[in-house]
Amino acid sequence: MALHLIKLCVGVTTLEEQRDWAKRRLAFMRRLDPKARLFHTTRMVPKRLDEVLDGGSLYWVIKGQVQARQKLIDIEPFVDAGGTRRCHLVLDDEIIPTLWQPKRAFQGWRYFKAEDAPQDVGVTDQEIPQNLRQELGELGLL
């Protein structure tokens, strides 16, 4: 069973903002390099690499709710110009909405067991307007 990562999505308040930001960033990066991929840079390198790369995703917490995930394609450790070890969490371009799940704030990323992860949103769930989904999620009803 895959092991996932979970991370706060800082600076956005909706899933649509996250999607727009990722789309703009990828377009900019691909103007410089057509083979560019989306990634998130983090200081801590996961030690359980094989488990995470065996079908794992990065789950995004937006406004206190797990709202989406992106498949993890690769994890690329490197040393930055200041000599600090870091890594790129290389992500699939598609951001997949999930059923909302409350999550308290935390720093960095955490491992996220598959049995704890919310399900992907189904077709009927997507029919609910975003603003109503947000209100229901904040009330703990979605």
Side-chain angles (χ1 to χ4, degrees):
M1 189 174 292
L3 181 64
H4 306 290
L5 299 178
I6 188 167
K7 174 104 177 79
L8 298 182
C9 190
V10 179
V12 299
T13 57
T14 67
L15 178 56
E16 287 310 310
E17 282 181 27
Q18 171 67 356
R19 283 183 167 152
D20 290 343
W21 179 88
K23 185 178 175 181
R24 287 191 317 272
R25 181 172 183 219
L26 187 58
F28 172 77
M29 290 173 22
R30 287 199 171 148
R31 283 195 297 269
L32 303 173
D33 176 5
K35 296 179 184 178
R37 301 174 294 173
L38 281 175
F39 62 87
H40 176 77
T41 303
T42 184
R43 180 154 188 239
M44 302 306 293
V45 179
K47 290 177 178 36
R48 299 170 69 180
L49 227 53
D50 292 339
E51 292 173 85
V52 171
L53 292 177
D54 186 23
S57 292
L58 177 63
Y59 281 79
W60 291 109
V61 178
I62 302 170
K63 296 284 288 183
Q65 300 280 337
V66 178
Q67 293 188 31
R69 69 180 180 91
Q70 283 178 278
K71 292 178 187 173
L72 281 160
I73 295 171
D74 200 4
I75 296 175
E76 301 172 340
F78 68 97
V79 177
D80 70 12
T84 303
R85 292 186 61 217
R86 299 185 183 277
C87 76
H88 291 310
L89 303 175
V90 182
L91 304 166
D92 187 72
D93 297 353
E94 182 181 13
I95 299 175
I96 302 164
T98 64
L99 296 177
W100 285 23
Q101 182 182 86
K103 192 71 173 172
R104 289 186 177 182
F106 56 92
Q107 291 186 341
W109 56 262
R110 299 283 185 266
Y111 290 112
F112 198 41
K113 295 179 186 175
E115 60 265 20
D116 296 335
Q119 296 178 352
D120 293 349
V121 168
V123 174
T124 54
D125 299 316
Q126 290 181 2
E127 295 170 1
I128 300 172
Q130 176 66 25
N131 61 340
L132 182 55
R133 284 178 50 80
Q134 185 157 354
E135 286 183 41
L136 290 172
E138 288 170 359
L139 294 171
L141 299 173
L142 189 59

